[in-house]
Amino acid sequence: MHQQPTRPSIADDSRPPWAGHEPLPQARVGSSVPAAAGARKPPTPPRTPIDLLSAEDTLRNADRSAGRAGRPTTAPPTATTPRAQHSTARPASDLPPTHTALICVALPGLTISGEHGQLTGRGLEGFYRGGRRLLARCQVRVAGREPLLVQARMTGADRARFVGTLRATPGSGPDPDVIVERIRNADGTERITLHNAGLRPLRLPVEVALGTDLADLGAIASGTAGPELPASVHDSGLRWTSVDGGACVTAHPPPADALASAGLLRWELDLPAGATTAVELRVRPDGAGPLRAVGQTATSPLAPARATGDDPRVTALLRAAVDDLHALLLRDPGHPSDTYLAAGAPWRCGMAPAEALAAARMTLPLGTRLAAGTLRALARTQLTGPGTQAGLIPGPRRDAGVFLPPACTGTEATLLFPVLLAEARRWGLPERETLELLPAAERCLTWLRTTVGDGTYLPDPPRCGPIRCETQAHAHRAAVLGADLLDAHGRPGSTELRQWAETARKAFRTDFWIEDRSGGRPTAALAPGGRPLPHLGSTAVHLLDTGLLGGGLHAPGLLDKTQTQQLARLLGSPAMDAGWGLRGLGAKEAGHNPFGHRTGAVRVHETALAVAGLAAAGYEKEAANLLGGLVDAAEHFGHRLPEMFAGEQRSAGSAPLPHPAACRPAATAAASAILLLTTLAGIRPDAPARTVTLRPVRSAPLGEIGLTGLRVAGAPFAVRVSRLGLAMVEEAADDLQLGM
């Protein structure tokens, strides 16, 4: 078995005490995590495609060979025969950047364009479907020249608009007389429109140069894609084939000439003065029809929420978030009625269990259908049979920075599963669906108790890893909300879960707290042997995320009141708050890097959790500062938040720096916008009790805000928060009562 190397700590440049221990094997599609030695191997359950790579893994592993697990993949992964490599794999530092790209997403369709508008075949540029680049090059020339690009912008999650100009009439002065507009869609279509803005009729020769390598995204990212393939004339366009399949481009109207050897389509277009004409290109895999993206159908699992208010940015932020979530929706291949979110584009266009659950949880205000589909899809991947890993939901490793070895996202997913089910029930998941998913949640909770055994804490990876602070927060929340879920359905096991949670809570407040002259801080982890790792990072925000119980109450947390107050002060300090959001690692910590994906970059998901947790605990000043910074940052990103960006300190006139390898759109970042805005209203439903409680942020940091099109207890829900921080329900189910 391949063992991932451990990383020395920057602080002392020595091997960590867990070096040499074997980590939990990384889950692979179509395989199961091995059981304990001597145990009978459980039968392999049906598998939902699982994304094997996060953006941070991409950075570290892009220089590995194409067949290793570190290669970027998209879902569903396909077992293709690697083509001959004609180039040397690039080092990780040369991973194609994405921060300037215009990424159109309507999965499984994906289009990546540079700011120049032309698709040149360089880097990641091209039309993709299912992770394969169908078209790499699409270059337009009008009257023998490339139009001068004057604007490139996204007009939706799935489309981009490029506008160029040129002067076709000699001696016409500096003003262009031809306007060329290109609308590029993730569904594989591009419409090229030419407008004659001059006073004379024009006859314009138009050429479109096409080419592709039919490479998969992983090969392109690692620099091992082959050369362009030869084309053949096909119908009203061109076609390319390889051992893995083929693709074609058809044009309407048909070109006057198609040159396969040069990859050219040609037209002679007559444009009277003031007239407009267009050419449409359609890119398709061989044998495939038009793309039917999940998010563009009438059966979308997300309610059409809208936001209005004093701050106009809330409208744009929520609209962009919902659009991105629709763009990232996927169907379970074996069960098309179940949908879930891909982790993000371009690197993670498949299922990443922990991120899918976290995003579904934050989108519960938009309805419970996405949560139900995600839970059902992951329940099918759950390990069954005898052995200590029964009940685990497999997941890949996630890099944890310079101080800790990689974590197992399967641990996080297994602990998130019962939490999402319990909270989805509070938001209105039908009882029939809750009962259907309850056995899988019970298996997750049994795995938790079995893995902890007679101990107090849950290691991550299990049995050999450090005792991580955030893992204990996940485990404690799962135990408390899981016990509540079991009691509600008369199932056994709640007493043992609550007893363990109480024991862990008492021990945690001593073992995971470091006293110092500034008031103390939580320990990031305990190394085997009990040595605390004192660095302060954004993972501490999970201590504030305790989960929702009945009657609008939040579950108890691992910290006491004094410790929570100190953590709030630390999160609001300049060392953690970059002015744009929460840094992954404090600026004063050894190894801090503002671009480090776990060592200083602002991670949007954890910033949103901090805002929600601080607001719930009553620390509105700190919550409002983080919220305001993130909303300001979103404006600089066109309201489409990436999964992370640089944690450079904000200053007058500055702007947030993008991370060159961040996913954008990203499921957790888009869902974070839902959490941020609903936190302002403090919506806490209890659908089984037919009540909803409102705990708005009294300081109203964004002024008056109204949210419509939400879903509570299966019915439309609308709420408005005034400038005075008073909340009022404007629409709700007839029998839903306002709780106290």
Side-chain angles (χ1 to χ4, degrees), residues 173-196:
D175 298 335
D177 51 4
V178 176
I179 302 170
V180 182
E181 178 192 65
R182 302 172 70 174
I183 303 295
R184 189 169 294 151
N185 288 273
D187 65 2
T189 61
E190 176 161 340
R191 187 173 181 83
I192 305 165
T193 303
L194 293 89
H195 174 68
N196 180 0

Side-chain angles (χ1 to χ4, degrees), residues 48-439:
T48 296
I50 295 177
D51 178 41
L52 299 182
L53 195 70
S54 63
E56 52 263 32
D57 296 326
T58 305
L59 285 170
R60 296 187 181 274
N61 299 332
D63 57 342
R64 296 184 181 180
S65 61
R68 294 275 289 280
R71 183 166 58 89
T73 62
T74 53
T78 54
T80 57
T81 304
R83 62 172 48 83
Q85 297 179 0
H86 297 275
S87 60
T88 304
R90 62 168 59 89
S93 59
D94 291 337
L95 193 71
T98 60
H99 64 287
T100 60
L102 282 73
I103 303 177
C104 306
V105 186
L107 293 181
L110 176 70
T111 303
I112 304 176
S113 311
E115 292 179 307
H116 44 73
Q118 301 276 33
L119 293 181
T120 64
R122 292 192 293 267
L124 297 172
E125 292 179 10
F127 285 89
Y128 295 80
R129 188 182 293 194
R132 186 167 298 282
R133 182 158 65 180
L134 304 180
L135 186 67
R137 191 163 50 84
C138 182
Q139 296 169 290
V140 175
R141 293 172 67 88
V142 179
R145 289 174 291 156
E146 291 191 5
L148 174 66
L149 186 75
V150 295
Q151 186 183 77
R153 69 184 186 94
M154 299 291 299
T155 59
D158 62 338
R159 61 194 176 279
R161 179 177 185 256
F162 306 89
V163 178
T165 63
L166 56 84
R167 287 186 295 149
T169 305
S172 61
D175 298 335
D177 51 4
V178 176
I179 302 170
V180 182
E181 178 192 65
R182 302 172 70 174
I183 303 295
R184 189 169 294 151
N185 288 273
D187 65 2
T189 61
E190 176 161 340
R191 187 173 181 83
I192 305 165
T193 303
L194 293 89
H195 174 68
N196 180 0
L199 300 176
R200 302 177 183 177
L202 297 173
R203 185 173 180 82
L204 295 175
V206 176
E207 292 182 345
V208 179
L210 305 171
T212 190
D213 48 17
L214 292 179
D216 65 71
L217 183 60
I220 298 166
S222 59
T224 58
E228 283 194 1
L229 298 169
S232 60
V233 176
H234 173 76
D235 197 9
S236 58
L238 299 175
R239 181 172 181 263
W240 300 265
T241 58
S242 73
V243 294
D244 299 323
C248 64
V249 173
T250 56
H252 180 80
D257 199 6
L259 303 177
S261 59
L264 277 178
L265 303 181
R266 291 175 173 170
W267 293 261
E268 291 284 342
L269 301 178
D270 291 313
L271 269 79
T276 297
T277 190
V279 171
E280 185 169 276
L281 306 176
R282 299 182 182 92
V283 185
R284 300 282 188 270
D286 275 356
L291 180 66
R292 293 178 59 85
V294 180
Q296 297 176 348
T297 65
T299 58
S300 168
L302 301 172
R306 295 290 182 268
T308 58
D310 291 339
D311 191 330
R313 296 176 299 176
V314 301
T315 302
L317 182 62
L318 185 56
R319 183 193 306 119
V322 173
D323 284 351
D324 281 349
L325 291 169
H326 277 128
L328 292 170
L329 283 172
L330 288 173
R331 295 190 189 279
D332 186 330
H335 300 80
S337 62
D338 291 337
T339 56
Y340 50 79
L341 289 167
W347 308 118
R348 312 177 65 197
C349 293
M351 164 73 88
E355 282 81 354
L357 289 164
R361 185 179 174 218
M362 291 188 286
T363 60
L364 284 172
L366 305 187
T368 60
R369 288 177 54 202
L370 177 62
T374 304
L375 290 167
R376 282 192 290 265
L378 286 174
R380 299 179 192 113
T381 75
Q382 192 174 38
L383 301 182
T384 58
T388 58
Q389 293 175 8
L392 179 73
I393 295 173
R397 297 187 188 97
R398 174 191 291 146
D399 187 90
V402 296
F403 295 103
L404 290 164
C408 177
T409 61
T411 298
E412 183 178 343
T414 305
L415 299 173
L416 267 172
F417 190 102
V419 169
L420 177 57
L421 180 58
E423 291 190 327
R425 176 175 172 267
R426 296 290 175 194
W427 280 91
L429 182 69
E431 190 67 10
R432 175 184 58 80
E433 295 184 69
T434 303
L435 290 172
E436 174 192 350
L437 289 161
L438 189 57

